[in-house]
Amino acid sequence: MTTDLNKRALVVGAGLAGMEGALKIGSAGYEVYLVEKEDTMGGVTNKLYCSFPRWENPRQLLDDRITQINNTEEIRVMTGTVIKSARRDGDRFVVDLQKAGNQTEQVAVDAVVLATGFELMDASVYGEYGYGIYPNVLNSLEFEARLKEWSSGSRVDTPKSVAFFKCVGSRDRSKGYPYCSKICCMYTAKQAGLTRELLPETKAYVFYMDYRAAGKEYEEFVRSVIETKHVRYVRGRPAKVLPENGRLLVRAEDTLMGVPIEVEVDMVVLASAAVPRKETKALAEMFGAKTDQYGFLENESFNPCQTGDRVFFAGACGFAIETAGAQTQGAAAAAEVVALFNRAGQEAC
Amino acid sequence: MPREKYRDHDEKSRAKVDPYKLVENLETCLACGKCVGNCPVASLTPSYNPRQVISDVLNGYTERWLNSEEIWRCFWCANCATNCPNDIMFPLLMIQLRYLATENKYGLKYIMPFKRFALRAREDGLTFAPSEKGREKIKRLRRNLGATSWPDISERAKTEYKELFDLTGATAYLESLSDEDERPVELRYTEGRITNE
Amino acid sequence: MNKERVVAPEKLFPEVPESIFLFRSCTGSMEYPGTENAIKEVMKILGINIVMDPDQTCCSGYLLTCSAYKPELSLAVTARNLAIVEKKNLDTYMFCNGCYGYNRELAHIMHEHPDYKQMANDVIAKQGYHYEGKTEIHHVQELWYRLKDQIAAKVVQPLNGLRVAVHYGCHYLAQQYNILDDGGYPTFHEEIIGVLGGTTVFYKERQMCCGYSVGRGFTHKETTVQPHLYKKFKSAKEAGVELMTTCCPGCNVGLDREQPNLTERYEEEFNIPVIDISQLIGLAFGVPLAKLGFEANTVKLDRVLEKLGIGKGDSHDH
């Protein structure tokens, strides 16, 4: 079996899924363009202080992947680059890239992996929570930045009490999205647990409808946050956040006791719904891929990695996924590309 | 308290509670409690709990609420419906529960005061138009403003309004309202429960 | 995501209407006739023509929610009233949250359940009416917000930083779609008060119900409504509120008429006058006091008028 090593792949997005995909395609000996909109690789994982369920610092994982990518000569990394347009030309895609400094470049590739990732929904539609109105109402990524600050020793304006709201925008047919954003139960437990670790004098409350811990070591993780880090879990979706005496008053019902309650806190963290980035839909159309009504990439029947002819996808652009899952999906998409190129190579003989 | 035998979910009993088909999406209820968090009545009477009403209706336990005092306390502020992530119009369930309760002779003391107002509104074409002495005050206020002494409502409007009552069976219903054989209501769900009473 | 809930005023009113149908409110024309008058005066100054119809009856919503009426009656009454408006080819504007909320809810039900619309039409056909469902239902306060800049231009008596708090009322905020705010964090009244020169005061229980509708003020006054209102007024008093505005004569009754009873029961003075926002706009426009009808208020406006430098019985023509 010979392989046609002239085949080239394009990976759009250098988050964990995209990086993994590029690595696996590159180590199979094929050339890869790894295109990333931001100036650095790493995607959302760059913003994380800690990952679940092992309380690890994702920086080590990212640095390892980035080093390996830099050491793989088949991978050409293009940061600060976006895709302006693309068209089919037989079995190839001709793609126009716009790089930093307004330079353009045209490339031809034989397969595409979309790994554009996710972002958090804008929670300002929830006026009742005061996002964008009260200064101490944050979404989970903004809160992660505060965790980083506190971990580096800053103790300016630390809250005496923090409330975490889950399902903000998820499981909501009225103002949000009906689906479950999958990762929030786990990362909220992580953020609440870390708050108690970094600021032992601060109280933490998590307001939940359910907690979904379906994964290896996940249930143990959440229980440890409740039992050893002493975070109070209150079952009830909060109804309102009101300003009171310079603090924030949270009104909810403790549904397990059947009593309406009020809690005074200093900071509210909203686990907003995970939505695909806006570019995903446009990119899908450019490459002939399918998206669903929310903009997530749709897969073809029987193949969870493929979303169009010679187009594959991986990571949170298909649906919210945790770090390990993103890596797995990146590798799976890469396997599809390599198999495609290998078969083409065979036919060429 | 003895253990309750859990009933089988019965579609027909739910149709009895919602004959006007205004809350057909009751099963979308996630029991999240967002409704109760903002409910002004729940904060004063914790045994009134919209989420629990929905749960009981779905499970076939509606009778528990029919002879309860709680269902007569809802304000229709619709904070629950505004907040609900599944857009369940809870007040529309509440009015139907009240109709069902009065059919079973419960809570009539909370409706009888309105029978008088309703029959008067049927004559006036306006609601809460006061009796003779009160009318003098209104006429004076209006004249001082430079407006007509009584709101400008035509005879045709009054006749047709009355006719609508007769045509839709409202007159018959109002006249049949009576608190004879009324059965008492009391606060339910207070046993073992934190209340303010 | 569902159809749009909160929309910008330019989307609600792409063009400012020349003529509007003003829906007569029972409470508004009897308990607080100054409100209806104030709206007419303000609209005159803004150059919008008001049309009313003596054939229009009560919306029947209040007694529907008290469970005295059954939906069949209210559906027919709504269909008849809106059919009257449709014949004039106008959109209908309510100045009472109750009329607005009930008409809108019932119109929505008829829209979603064509068999109810048919039933209502069958009844009103006997009187010669037909309801199509094409007239749009708005609230006058939405028009005020749309015309915020025009209102700002016509202010002759700014409010001198008067501390005004807003009571939006539940039936507007509870409509689920195509409204200015769905009860999250409404600010449109505050913006209007801002252009009139008042200082807006946010108090914690701003969005709490007035307790008037559904008749709980008759059946449960001491048990539920009074403790409830006490919380609301306590929060307003702590925030230093001098005047409260509403956009519903029903809320006006609930908040205004009950204050002396609260003072008696809880032995605490509140003294917060409650007026309609149209009357406040009228004040700022220099409409003579006699035409604004503050006589009808239980809690008098003496302190407020003094602060604004308007004497009682003054008819200033600036």
Side-chain angles (χ1 to χ4, degrees), chain B residues 20-21 40 43 69 72 75-77 81-82 99 125 127-128 142 144-145 152 154 156-157 160 163 165, chain C residues 24 29-30 54-55 58 62 69 71-72 80 113 116 127 129 170 176 182 214 216 220 228 231 290-291 295:
Chain B
Y20 290 99
K21 299 211 189 59
S43 63
E69 155 74 28
W72 297 100
F75 280 3
W76 198 307
C77 68
T82 318
Y99 291 145
T127 304
F128 289 132
R142 289 185 65 94
N144 288 352
L145 284 169
D152 206 4
S154 67
R156 176 177 174 178
E160 289 182 348
E163 212 178 24
F165 275 71
Chain C
R24 186 194 335 108
S29 58
M30 294 193 286
D55 284 345
C58 169
Y62 188 98
Y69 297 156
E72 286 89 350
R80 180 181 166 279
H113 299 252
Y116 288 149
Q127 299 174 333
Y129 297 104
C170 303
Q176 305 279 49
D182 63 355
V214 206
R216 297 310 92 180
H220 286 92
H228 169 84
K231 277 198 238 175
K291 290 210 172 276
E295 257 190 295

Side-chain angles (χ1 to χ4, degrees), chain B:
Chain B
M1 250 175 83
R3 206 169 277 211
E4 268 183 355
K5 230 173 173 59
Y6 212 69
R7 294 195 200 169
D8 284 324
H9 168 67
D10 179 9
E11 279 278 317
K12 293 200 208 77
S13 72
R14 197 141 56 84
K16 229 175 32 134
V17 179
D18 183 21
Y20 290 99
K21 299 211 189 59
L22 298 172
V23 276
E24 301 204 278
N25 57 350
L26 269 186
E27 278 168 314
T28 62
C29 176
L30 293 168
C32 66
K34 217 169 163 188
C35 47
V36 185
N38 248 346
C39 177
V41 181
S43 63
L44 292 165
T45 311
S47 56
Y48 171 75
N49 191 312
R51 174 184 58 84
Q52 291 177 337
V53 173
I54 294 181
S55 177
D56 270 346
V57 166
L58 285 174
N59 291 329
Y61 286 116
T62 318
E63 303 92 70
R64 262 211 275 257
W65 294 96
L66 290 185
N67 65 350
S68 75
E69 155 74 28
E70 280 93 337
I71 60 170
W72 297 100
R73 299 212 170 172
C74 165
F75 280 3
W76 198 307
C77 68
N79 270 343
C80 48
T82 318
N83 259 353
C84 178
N86 286 314
D87 284 339
I88 297 174
M89 269 306 284
F90 183 75
L92 294 176
L93 172 63
M94 197 45 91
I95 49 162
Q96 295 186 85
L97 277 177
R98 290 178 179 175
Y99 291 145
L100 204 54
T102 48
E103 272 171 44
N104 287 299
K105 297 270 169 205
Y106 293 114
L108 284 160
K109 63 177 170 177
Y110 296 125
I111 296 210
M112 292 310 288
F114 303 112
K115 171 174 172 175
R116 188 170 51 99
F117 290 127
L119 289 172
R120 265 233 303 274
R122 177 173 169 272
E123 302 285 335
D124 295 331
L126 297 168
T127 304
F128 289 132
S131 52
E132 278 317 309
K133 195 171 83 149
R135 289 196 189 212
E136 284 315 308
K137 177 173 176 218
I138 291 176
K139 289 183 183 173
R140 184 175 44 88
L141 283 172
R142 289 185 65 94
R143 273 197 298 266
N144 288 352
L145 284 169
T148 57
S149 65
W150 193 247
D152 206 4
I153 180 166
S154 67
E155 283 309 309
R156 176 177 174 178
K158 292 197 251 189
T159 319
E160 289 182 348
Y161 197 57
K162 195 181 210 170
E163 212 178 24
L164 286 179
F165 275 71
D166 300 336
L167 287 172
T168 54
T171 316
Y173 177 67
L174 284 169
E175 286 174 350
S176 74
L177 283 177
S178 125
D179 53 7
E180 236 177 81
D181 310 323
E182 181 180 356
R183 285 144 84 177
V185 293
E186 53 179 10
L187 280 176
R188 304 279 291 158
Y189 274 126
T190 52
E191 202 169 310
R193 197 66 78 73
I194 305 158
T195 72
N196 279 347
E197 299 285 320

Side-chain angles (χ1 to χ4, degrees), chain A residues 16-320:
Chain A
L16 270 183
M19 288 198 292
E20 200 68 29
L23 263 179
K24 298 291 192 284
I25 300 175
S27 4
Y30 291 104
E31 272 187 46
V32 188
Y33 293 123
L34 178 54
V35 169
E36 165 58 50
K37 187 177 78 159
E38 305 291 334
D39 294 328
T40 50
M41 294 192 270
V44 170
T45 317
N46 260 331
K47 300 191 189 168
L48 301 185
Y49 165 61
C50 181
S51 74
F52 59 81
R54 292 191 176 167
W55 306 103
E56 290 162 327
N57 185 346
R59 194 71 251 156
Q60 295 170 341
L61 167 64
L62 285 172
D63 288 341
D64 175 83
R65 277 2 212 170
I66 293 175
T67 311
Q68 287 203 32
I69 286 174
N70 289 336
N71 290 341
T72 310
E73 55 178 5
E74 286 86 348
I75 307 178
R76 185 172 154 209
V77 178
M78 294 193 268
T79 51
T81 306
V82 294
I83 298 182
K84 287 201 60 189
S85 62
R87 60 181 168 82
R88 269 306 269 271
D89 178 19
D91 275 348
R92 317 201 84 192
F93 295 95
V94 177
V95 184
D96 289 302
L97 304 168
Q98 172 139 7
K99 306 195 289 192
N102 259 332
Q103 288 184 318
T104 55
E105 185 177 332
Q106 192 178 79
V107 299
V109 297
D110 305 275
V112 177
V113 176
L114 296 172
T116 45
F118 77 102
E119 61 188 1
L120 291 180
M121 165 191 170
D122 181 8
S124 26
V125 284
Y126 291 97
E128 60 259 38
Y129 293 154
Y131 183 76
I133 299 167
Y134 310 124
N136 272 335
V137 177
L138 313 170
N139 72 21
S140 44
L141 279 175
E142 290 162 355
F143 184 72
E144 193 84 10
R146 300 302 298 270
L147 285 173
K148 280 195 188 178
E149 276 173 34
W150 297 332
S151 76
S152 67
S154 145
R155 289 292 177 271
V156 178
D157 284 336
T158 51
K160 289 198 280 290
S161 183
V162 184
F164 294 85
F165 293 1
K166 292 204 290 193
C167 292
V168 176
S170 314
R171 303 178 68 187
D172 181 334
R173 281 174 234 209
S174 173
K175 292 205 263 203
Y177 301 95
Y179 56 77
C180 161
S181 289
K182 189 164 172 176
I183 49 177
C184 335
C185 283
M186 288 304 293
Y187 75 58
T188 300
K190 175 201 88 180
Q191 291 187 324
L194 284 169
T195 308
R196 296 278 308 141
E197 279 263 319
L198 294 169
L199 307 173
E201 298 301 311
T202 300
K203 290 201 207 296
Y205 301 93
V206 174
F207 288 89
Y208 70 102
M209 282 202 286
D210 297 289
Y211 72 75
R212 298 185 163 177
K216 183 172 160 128
E217 294 166 29
Y218 282 12
E219 173 72 16
E220 297 92 315
F221 180 83
V222 180
R223 290 318 307 176
S224 81
V225 165
I226 298 174
E227 294 161 14
T228 64
K229 306 219 193 290
H230 310 298
V231 172
R232 281 318 305 145
Y233 266 61
V234 181
R235 191 193 180 274
R237 210 162 173 178
K240 216 164 180 91
V241 173
L242 293 168
E244 162 118 302
N245 299 333
R247 303 185 79 193
L248 294 168
L249 187 73
V250 175
R251 281 199 173 149
E253 185 205 358
D254 180 345
T255 59
L256 294 178
M257 297 300 288
V259 178
I261 60 169
E262 280 184 349
V263 184
E264 254 188 42
V265 298
D266 299 291
M267 193 177 274
V268 169
V269 182
L270 306 176
S272 311
V275 297
R277 286 185 193 264
K278 291 171 203 56
E279 308 87 74
T280 310
K281 189 152 198 286
L283 283 168
E285 273 163 34
M286 274 189 228
F287 289 109
K290 291 194 308 253
T291 50
D292 68 10
Q293 76 257 52
Y294 308 115
F296 288 117
L297 290 168
E298 282 271 49
N299 67 307
E300 313 250 297
S301 325
F302 308 125
N303 188 337
C305 315
Q306 184 160 15
T307 179
D309 182 43
R310 308 183 88 88
V311 184
F312 307 92
F313 70 105
C317 59
F319 196 71

